[in-house]
């Protein structure tokens, strides 16, 4: 069974940092794209970042570029999202998701319609 479990969320002050983890089971990251998404109350789920585990290609949406870093540890079957210089606008439930790599020559994009498996989410709150 494919499972994704997020952890690492919490309350942090503006300018602070958090590191989210996405632990995968039931499949190996070698053949999957992993994406990070977030959803604030009353708003649509939006893509944040993704990593293609076949070649390590990464993508970031403009609002987090330069502040967030996605990485993977294939030995631990875990993907991380390091979030620095956090802003109140980053407050949301953060989800990781995955889909099979259909073409290893293509880069990834965090388009929610492309992802088949989703975790339950972890709350990130940026506030004083």
């Amino acid at each position: 069974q494919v499972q994704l479990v997020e952890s690492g969320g919490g309350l942090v002050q503006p300018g602070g940092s958090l590191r989210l983890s996405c632990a995968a089971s039931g499949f190996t990251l070698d053949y999957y794209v992993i994406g990070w998404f977030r959803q604030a109350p009353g708003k649509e789920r939006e893509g944040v970042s993704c990593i293609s585990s076949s070649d390590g290609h990464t993508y970031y949406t403009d609002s987090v570029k330069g502040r967030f870093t996605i990485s993977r540890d294939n030995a631990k079957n875990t993907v991380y999202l390091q979030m620095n210089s956090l802003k109140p606008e980053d407050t949301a439930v953060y989800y990781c998701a995955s889909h099979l790599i259909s073409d290893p020559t293509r880069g990834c994009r965090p388009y929610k319609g492309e992802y088949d498996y989703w975790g339950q989410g972890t709350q990130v709150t940026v506030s004083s």
Side-chain angles (χ1 to χ4, degrees):
Q1 182 181 352
V2 173
Q3 285 190 304
L4 298 169
V5 180
E6 303 94 336
S7 62
L11 175 64
V12 65
Q13 292 185 310
S17 298
L18 284 173
R19 191 189 196 194
L20 305 183
S21 298
C22 175
S25 62
F27 65 97
T28 175
L29 296 181
D30 292 352
Y31 309 114
Y32 284 79
V33 167
I34 302 295
W36 283 99
F37 299 79
R38 64 187 182 186
Q39 187 168 23
K43 295 188 176 182
E44 295 183 6
R45 193 169 299 185
E46 64 175 353
V48 175
S49 182
C50 61
I51 184 166
S52 178
S53 297
S54 64
D55 61 2
H57 171 85
T58 60
Y59 176 87
Y60 303 92
T61 193
D62 287 345
S63 63
V64 308
K65 193 174 298 182
R67 300 188 297 122
F68 291 11
T69 303
I70 191 169
S71 62
R72 71 187 192 277
D73 186 334
N74 289 341
K76 296 180 179 179
N77 228 37
T78 300
V79 171
Y80 304 96
L81 185 68
Q82 178 67 45
M83 306 185 295
N84 298 327
S85 302
L86 283 163
K87 305 174 181 179
E89 304 90 89
D90 297 317
T91 296
V93 176
Y94 283 71
Y95 300 87
C96 66
S98 68
H99 69 79
L100 274 168
I101 297 172
S102 58
D103 184 351
T105 67
R106 293 192 300 171
C108 68
R109 292 292 185 273
Y111 300 146
K112 60 184 180 182
E114 298 181 1
Y115 291 77
D116 303 308
Y117 308 106
W118 294 81
Q120 295 299 304
T122 185
Q123 177 71 50
V124 172
T125 303
V126 185
S127 176
S128 298

